[in-house]
Structure formats: structure tokens, C-alpha cells
Amino acid sequence: MIRDITIGQYYPTNSIIHRLDPRVKLVCTLLFLISLFLQNSVLGYAIATLFLFTVIKMSKVPFKFIVKGLKPIVVLLCITVLFNLFLNGGGKILVSFWIFTITEEGVRISVYMAVRLIYLIMGSSIMTFTTTPNSLTDGIEKLLRPLNKIKVPVHEVAMMMSIALRFIPILLEETDKIMKAQIARGADLESGNILQRAKAMVPILVPLFVSAFRRANDLAMAMEARCYRGGDGRTQMKPLSYQKRDYIAYTAMIVYMVAIVVLGRMIPLHIWVF
């Protein structure tokens, strides 16, 4: 399970998506996530599917690598589907047993909630797979720069987000090493009840926290040794500037959003499902 978590990882390859300005990818990702909640029809989901898979193809990130990132949320996905399936009433009753009732409305909501959650994870993953942490920091800082006028420490916020994303794969790798080391020493991490499993996690969490604090302290000392004093007066080695491909990407995103708003509500989902 640890190896299946791909959030925060960067997949290096040469693609048009990788070469886009990080601000474009941040804005387009946000708009795509919003679009998932703006439509509730077959045509809308078809448009979102076509758009998402086109971007994945253009990014040259292997599809199996993206699907791998969905494995850790399988449990959450199942819980979401089951809750929406049994707790939403309305429409024709399809199945009724004991205290549980499955209706058309419950199935409809379960279907689009599952699709939304999957597409949300996949759309967010594409941004992190195709953007380095440094570029992501610069993009966030540029987009939030107007907040400097109201004394918001934009540079520090962007730096913290970048460090957090960068540390995720490092901590996951460290966790995997610690688990293997404890298993090699005879630790049983899989058998027993919930309390026994929670107790077995203590030998993993303690060295993990120690390692995390040690890495944080080393990073802080390295930044101080390089005279880091915040964002005031700092310059960028590679200043961000929009290129022709970035404007084309914005245009494509606008066309997609218009299609979602105009066409995404034309064919209700329940007509297709039933």
C-alpha cells in the first residue's frame, strides 16, 4: 500500500504538459475539479472523460502509473459509494432487504460520486506528475502575489506547500524501510485485532517521527546556512513568463468549461442509468 501512494511524485519526461507554465496547470486543474461538480449528465461526464484522457495522453505519463495512485483510496471510494447507495432515497425502489433500501436516486448519486472522486484524484495527480516542486512553488507564489497587499506571507505559504509535497514521497519511502526492518526483526504487523495492530504500529511511528524531525532540522539548518530570510528581495533563477502554448492551453480550458456548462446538463444521468 505504501508503494501505491504516488501523490507528490514527479514523473520526468518531455511532453507539452510538462512544458506548460505551472500557473496554467494550477488554474486548469482547479477549473477541472470545479467542472466535475457543475454537471450531472451522461454528456457532461463523457466530455470530462475525453478531456482528462486527452491530457493524460499528452502528458506521456503511463496510465498504469496514474491508476496506481487510486489504490490507496479504494476503501474510501467503497465507503462513499455504500453510504450514498443506502442513505439516499427517492425514485423507484430497486432492492429492499432488512433495513436497507436501494433506490434509483441512490444508485444515480453513488455512480457520479464515485466518478467524481476518481477523476478528482487523477486530475490532481497529473499536475504533480508533470510539475517539479520548485516550479509549483513559483506558480503558487505568482498566483497568490496580490495577497501581499493585505500582508499575507505568500512566499512562505508557497514554500511550505512545496516542502510538504516534496517530503511526502520521502516519508513514504522511509516508512517502507522502517516496516521492512521491523518485519525482519520478527514484528507482526498484520495479524491480531484492531488494538493489537495499532500497538504494533508504535515501533514504526516512533522512528518515523524521529526521522521526520531530523530531516526538518537538517533542512532548517541548510536554509539558514544559505542566509534564507524569507521572500523579501528574492529573485528567481528562471522567471515565469507565458508562451504561446500557455495561451492555447487557457483557450482549450475555456472551451471545455463552456462545453461543460452548456452541454453538461442536457441529458440527465438517470435517463442513461435507467
Side-chain angles (χ1 to χ4, degrees), residues 49-180:
T49 302
L50 179 62
F51 179 82
L52 178 60
F53 280 80
T54 300
V55 173
I56 293 174
K57 184 68 175 179
M58 295 175 62
S59 69
K60 297 182 180 179
V61 178
F63 184 72
K64 63 180 181 180
F65 192 70
I66 297 176
V67 173
K68 183 180 178 181
L70 296 175
K71 293 182 181 179
I73 68 163
V74 170
V75 176
L76 176 61
L77 181 63
C78 293
I79 293 175
T80 301
V81 170
L82 290 176
F83 268 81
N84 284 282
L85 187 63
F86 293 115
L87 299 182
N88 284 289
K92 181 181 177 181
I93 296 178
L94 302 177
V95 179
S96 180
F97 60 96
W98 194 33
I99 61 174
F100 301 105
T101 302
I102 300 177
T103 63
E104 291 182 355
E105 185 70 12
V107 174
R108 183 178 70 86
I109 295 177
S110 298
V111 169
Y112 72 67
M113 285 300 295
V115 173
R116 284 175 178 175
L117 183 59
I118 292 173
Y119 283 9
L120 187 147
I121 299 298
M122 294 176 67
S124 302
S125 299
I126 286 295
M127 182 187 66
T128 57
F129 288 151
T130 60
T131 313
T132 62
N134 289 337
S135 297
L136 195 60
T137 301
D138 295 339
I140 295 174
E141 185 176 357
K142 280 281 188 179
L143 289 175
L144 299 181
R145 180 164 292 181
L147 297 179
N148 281 327
K149 297 181 180 179
I150 56 176
K151 305 301 182 180
V152 176
V154 172
H155 176 80
E156 284 72 15
V157 171
M159 179 68 70
M160 286 188 294
M161 294 178 64
S162 174
I163 292 174
L165 285 174
R166 182 176 296 182
F167 265 65
I168 290 175
I170 294 175
L171 291 179
L172 292 177
E173 182 181 356
E174 188 74 19
T175 303
D176 188 48
K177 291 180 180 179
I178 295 174
M179 291 179 66
K180 289 180 178 179

